[in-house]
Amino acid sequence: MNYGQQLEVIKGLSLQKDITSRMDCPFCHNKNTLLVDTTESSTKWYCFHASCKAKGKHIGEKDMQYVVNTFKQTKPISESADFEVPDSFKSVFSSERAMKYLHKNNCWEAWAWHRADIKYDVRHDRVVFMVKNQNSNKYAGAVGRALHRDSYPKWFMYGHKHVPFKCGQCDDAVIVEDCASACAVSNILTGIALMGTSIADTHLAHIKPYKNLYVCLDRDATTKSYGIAKELRAKGFKNVLVKPLEEDLKYFNTDEIRDIFYAR
Ligand SMILES: [Zn+2]
């Protein structure tokens, strides 16, 4: 189906304005594989099913609502004084490579189900994981993963690192190094990304007492995992367990993660 035909089908769905949503794909008929985004006064769609080529973007009229929203975007976050979202943060749909990154690193479900707020920084060509301070419900910062292999650093911190990136609301949690791994586990466990291999005192206020708290840093940092576990136990956290792994959690899908934590 060509672009024009796809657009007609998408228009036929009569999507609401300003939503990001996931639905059954009208092109390949697979369940929940189509992502649609009608923010920024445009309509974007993308199907994640391997057999399906549905994707596209239609720029709508820049109506008054768009002007109001664009104007608001430069302002509202400043209320928080914590972190002002840069104008260059756009929908992940702006970049096919960003979408592919989410898919390859098992993040897209977390994003599609709104467990994680993920954007694309057009200026720096990065997938951006928004860090929310769940205690104040405001953005505390963001973490950008470079999409180009020559970009340095691979992970870039926007704002400060006082708040860890959290994804999911499960009773058990796992402390990981990067945001992608935190997203990958979030169907099964709450993912908490430190963006490094050490835990700061400011992080502790954001780690509630979970039923089980796993520490699972990257393989080359297993010793640090044991260090963090020891530190957490000393601070009164119960049931802290180290989970040594051969690979980062972002390379595992939901079923594999369930096996890793609950079947072995
Ligand atoms: Zn499809």
Side-chain angles (χ1 to χ4, degrees):
M1 217 181 258
N2 68 30
Y3 170 79
Q5 292 165 323
Q6 285 188 35
L7 181 60
E8 285 311 307
V9 172
I10 295 290
K11 277 185 177 166
L13 300 173
S14 305
L15 300 167
Q16 261 182 288
K17 277 185 180 181
D18 280 317
I19 54 149
T20 310
S21 175
R22 172 172 157 171
M23 57 183 65
D24 297 350
C25 180
F27 306 104
C28 67
H29 306 291
N30 280 294
K31 215 164 171 49
N32 268 325
T33 55
L34 188 81
L35 292 153
V36 291
D37 180 329
T38 57
T39 62
E40 294 165 6
S41 213
S42 65
T43 304
K44 293 150 243 168
W45 64 97
Y46 188 101
C47 177
F48 272 109
H49 199 273
S51 72
C52 185
K53 301 243 180 305
K55 70 160 190 239
K57 178 175 180 177
H58 175 70
I59 312 287
E61 295 292 307
K62 298 220 179 321
D63 58 11
M64 202 51 208
Q65 195 53 46
Y66 175 84
V67 176
V68 170
N69 286 345
T70 309
F71 179 69
K72 259 175 35 197
Q73 268 176 15
T74 60
K75 288 258 169 183
I77 311 299
S78 63
E79 287 166 32
S80 74
D82 286 313
F83 179 66
E84 200 157 338
V85 179
D87 290 343
S88 59
F89 285 14
K90 304 289 185 199
S91 160
V92 193
F93 280 95
S94 328
S95 160
E96 187 168 359
R97 282 174 308 121
M99 301 285 273
K100 282 192 174 143
Y101 175 85
L102 297 189
H103 198 212
K104 266 195 206 151
N105 292 278
N106 294 297
C107 296
W108 73 278
E109 280 198 47
W111 168 64
W113 292 113
H114 303 284
R115 285 195 296 263
D117 190 355
I118 304 175
K119 311 233 180 259
Y120 172 68
D121 182 348
V122 287
R123 191 170 303 145
H124 300 106
D125 190 26
R126 284 172 185 275
V127 170
V128 178
F129 296 83
M130 302 301 296
V131 180
K132 202 164 227 182
N133 182 338
Q134 289 176 352
N135 299 344
S136 66
N137 211 26
K138 289 172 180 168
Y139 289 126
V143 186
R145 169 61 159 78
L147 288 177
H148 196 280
R149 76 170 65 141
D150 296 336
S151 294
Y152 181 83
K154 193 158 89 170
W155 292 93
F156 176 77
M157 301 294 307
Y158 302 82
H160 54 65
K161 287 177 77 166
H162 299 169
V163 180
F165 172 84
K166 280 208 283 190
C167 188
Q169 305 209 323
C170 300
D171 293 340
D172 290 348
V174 54
I175 291 177
V176 296
E177 271 185 53
D178 66 72
C179 300
S181 292
C183 289
V185 301
S186 65
N187 274 330
I188 307 292
L189 304 106
T190 303
I192 303 172
L194 299 180
M195 294 320 300
T197 54
S198 60
I199 195 154
D201 276 345
T202 53
H203 288 153
L204 296 174
H206 301 278
I207 305 174
K208 64 167 184 155
Y210 289 93
K211 208 166 119 219
N212 290 300
L213 184 56
Y214 297 94
V215 185
C216 192
L217 304 185
D218 296 353
R219 187 167 65 127
D220 54 4
T222 303
T223 320
K224 285 180 178 153
S225 288
Y226 284 101
I228 285 179
K230 198 174 157 192
E231 216 178 313
L232 287 167
R233 285 187 202 111
K235 307 260 182 195
F237 286 88
K238 307 272 187 256
N239 301 330
V240 183
L241 304 151
V242 174
K243 198 87 190 168
L245 277 188
E246 290 300 306
E247 292 272 16
D248 294 6
L249 284 166
K250 57 179 174 280
Y251 301 126
F252 295 100
N253 65 31
T254 294
D255 290 336
E256 291 164 338
I257 285 167
R258 189 183 291 111
D259 278 356
I260 289 170
F261 286 92
Y262 297 111
R264 285 182 193 175

